[in-house]
Amino acid sequence: MAFDPQSLRFNAQGLIPAIAQQDGTGEVLMMAWMNAEAVTKTLESGRVTYWSRSRKSFWVKGETSGHVQELVEMRVDCDRDCLLLIVRQTGPACHTNRRSCFYTAVQSGEEVEILTPID
Amino acid sequence: MAFDPQSLRFNAQGLIPAIAQQDGTGEVLMMAWMNAEAVTKTLESGRVTYWSRSRKSFWVKGETSGHVQELVEMRVDCDRDCLLLIVRQTGPACHTNRRSCFYTAVQSGEEVEILTPID
């Protein structure tokens, strides 16, 4: 069946959450948002493109930093309201220069840093 | 630093997305939503508890199906507006009886099934 971005379920702002996971290692790198056009751009270009809610514009991941995400595969969940992007991440995914945005963890009630910035 | 659920950034509905990932294998199983109280319940009980947007009630994952998620670790992202839950999933995570909710993939413009239900 041909994939139609319009078959996805977007929220009231026309957005769908997209989780980026590194191919091979399975690291969960980040979660950001896409609109239908960002989904199309990502599939057509093979370069992961989000919708920046703060800047209200397309956000080609790594366009300025060089920390690009090459799309390996886009997956859809059962409710069609979340995407999983299998990617090849160049360098850190996080703007703090860490590999993953998920860099603190709750351990015995304390929040601790589990990833440090890449040199 | 003591972890305070109120330090998270919830959306206008008081919710935060939570991604469940299988400990060890790294499989991304599902994404659902939590409010501050669900975060607290999850940490206190060690049993992953979401907020069901459709039923408007707490949803102790697997309470009726037996397909529970035991929390291994809760992680927070840089913007404090998304959670990553490292879990031990019993059986399928998806209500369709598949291991993961992300069971279709876009391949050469076609959407194809990549996971079948568990017997």
Side-chain angles (χ1 to χ4, degrees), chain A residues 12-99:
Chain A
Q13 290 76 47
L15 302 174
I16 188 169
I19 302 159
Q21 183 180 35
Q22 171 67 32
D23 189 38
T25 67
E27 295 163 279
V28 174
L29 301 168
M30 58 180 287
M31 193 280 271
W33 297 81
M34 290 185 171
N35 59 15
E37 198 174 343
V39 171
T40 299
K41 284 177 182 288
T42 296
L43 289 169
E44 287 181 355
S45 67
R47 184 67 61 88
V48 177
T49 304
Y50 300 103
W51 177 258
S52 169
R53 294 176 300 170
S54 54
R55 295 195 302 268
K56 300 192 192 313
S57 62
F58 291 107
W59 165 29
V60 182
K61 173 70 181 162
E63 197 172 36
T64 52
S65 66
H67 302 148
V68 296
Q69 291 180 344
E70 181 192 343
L71 183 71
V72 175
E73 188 169 83
M74 182 180 289
R75 299 180 185 167
V76 182
D77 83 342
C78 52
D79 291 333
R80 305 190 74 74
D81 63 0
C82 189
L83 299 173
L84 177 61
L85 312 171
I86 311 299
V87 304
R88 293 195 192 100
Q89 169 73 50
T90 299
C94 185
H95 73 287
T96 67
N97 228 39
R98 291 170 173 89
R99 179 69 179 166

Side-chain angles (χ1 to χ4, degrees), chain A residues 1-3 17 19 21 26 28 31 53 73-78 80-84 94-95 101-107 109-111 114, chain B residues 1-3 17 19 21 26 28 31 53 73-78 80-84 94-95 101-107 109-111 114:
Chain A
M1 186 176 62
F3 173 70
I19 302 159
Q21 183 180 35
V28 174
M31 193 280 271
R53 294 176 300 170
E73 188 169 83
M74 182 180 289
R75 299 180 185 167
V76 182
D77 83 342
C78 52
R80 305 190 74 74
D81 63 0
C82 189
L83 299 173
L84 177 61
C94 185
H95 73 287
C101 291
F102 298 93
Y103 69 80
T104 67
V106 183
Q107 296 177 352
E110 298 288 309
E111 188 169 348
I114 57 170
Chain B
M1 186 176 64
F3 173 70
I19 302 159
Q21 182 180 34
V28 174
M31 193 280 272
R53 295 177 300 172
E73 189 169 82
M74 182 181 290
R75 298 180 185 166
V76 181
D77 82 342
C78 52
R80 304 191 74 75
D81 64 359
C82 188
L83 299 173
L84 176 62
C94 186
H95 73 287
C101 291
F102 297 94
Y103 69 80
T104 67
V106 183
Q107 295 177 352
E110 298 288 308
E111 189 170 348
I114 57 170

